[in-house]
Amino acid sequence: MVESEYTEEESKTGEGSYGAVVEGDWSVDVSIKGEDLINASTNYEINKDIDLELDDRKINVSVDNISISPVYLGLDYSYINEDGYSIEFKVFNDKGEEYRWVSIQSDSYIGKIDKANFEMKLINSYKDTKYIKLVPTIIHYQKGKTLVFEDKSIEIEINK
């Protein structure tokens, strides 16, 4: 139990605090089970390499798989991560609507010489999708520009 600096009367009225106390039942009943989300999730193996060109160098990106759940899309890919740029993907459904990304996680660190693994998470906000289109992009921080490689896109048919 945490001791309060307020008296019992101050706690009930909200006096002495920054906000008022709203009494009542604040419990929430959620009928979603984690196992239901797992059962509704599908993993699609992609296993494709894409060569992107940045100035005078080629960057090889390995696109491993995409997992699709009722809540998120998770895209796994890897490349040799050098300073000055990052590689991300624009993700579209069959109607041309772009998925909004939430985060990108990586095992990359300064001095790593082999491929770094990345996981890009996006909100699965579009239902009844026939396919997903992955469009690789390079964000070049040193030059302040983004390069979109529409011609290197990958389409994944969604089996429903």
Side-chain angles (χ1 to χ4, degrees), residues 88-111:
E88 298 174 7
F89 286 83
K90 291 179 175 282
V91 181
F92 299 92
N93 67 6
D94 56 318
K95 297 165 193 75
E97 300 164 316
E98 186 173 358
Y99 290 86
R100 190 172 53 110
W101 70 273
V102 177
S103 66
I104 297 179
Q105 297 177 345
S106 170
D107 66 355
S108 180
Y109 56 87
I110 295 173

Side-chain angles (χ1 to χ4, degrees), residues 10-150:
E10 287 175 326
S11 293
K12 285 182 182 175
T13 63
E15 291 178 26
S17 66
Y18 290 107
V21 175
V22 179
E23 294 184 18
D25 181 10
W26 286 90
S27 62
V28 176
D29 183 28
V30 179
S31 61
I32 298 173
K33 296 177 186 164
E35 56 205 40
D36 292 340
L37 288 175
I38 292 170
N39 291 337
S41 299
T42 307
N43 190 51
Y44 297 92
E45 295 293 325
I46 300 170
N47 297 323
K48 288 195 177 184
D49 285 338
I50 303 170
D51 288 325
L52 305 177
E53 292 191 26
L54 177 64
D55 299 329
D56 59 347
R57 58 186 160 178
K58 257 189 191 170
I59 303 165
N60 178 266
V61 182
S62 298
V63 184
D64 302 320
N65 65 67
I66 189 165
S67 56
I68 301 174
S69 81
V71 181
Y72 291 110
L73 277 70
L75 176 64
D76 295 322
Y77 61 99
S78 60
Y79 65 93
I80 295 178
N81 191 15
E82 297 180 25
D83 291 337
Y85 68 87
S86 70
I87 296 174
E88 298 174 7
F89 286 83
K90 291 179 175 282
V91 181
F92 299 92
N93 67 6
D94 56 318
K95 297 165 193 75
E97 300 164 316
E98 186 173 358
Y99 290 86
R100 190 172 53 110
W101 70 273
V102 177
S103 66
I104 297 179
Q105 297 177 345
S106 170
D107 66 355
S108 180
Y109 56 87
I110 295 173
K112 183 172 183 169
I113 57 172
D114 56 343
K115 282 190 171 185
N117 298 303
F118 294 84
E119 180 187 18
M120 185 175 182
K121 278 199 171 179
L122 304 105
I123 294 177
N124 189 1
S125 52
Y126 305 112
K127 306 303 177 206
D128 300 322
T129 299
K130 294 179 180 127
Y131 66 84
I132 296 214
K133 181 178 179 181
L134 309 174
V135 182
T137 62
I138 295 178
I139 295 134
H140 199 298
Y141 302 112
Q142 293 170 341
K143 293 190 176 183
K145 65 180 180 178
T146 299
L147 305 170
V148 179
F149 295 87
E150 191 75 38

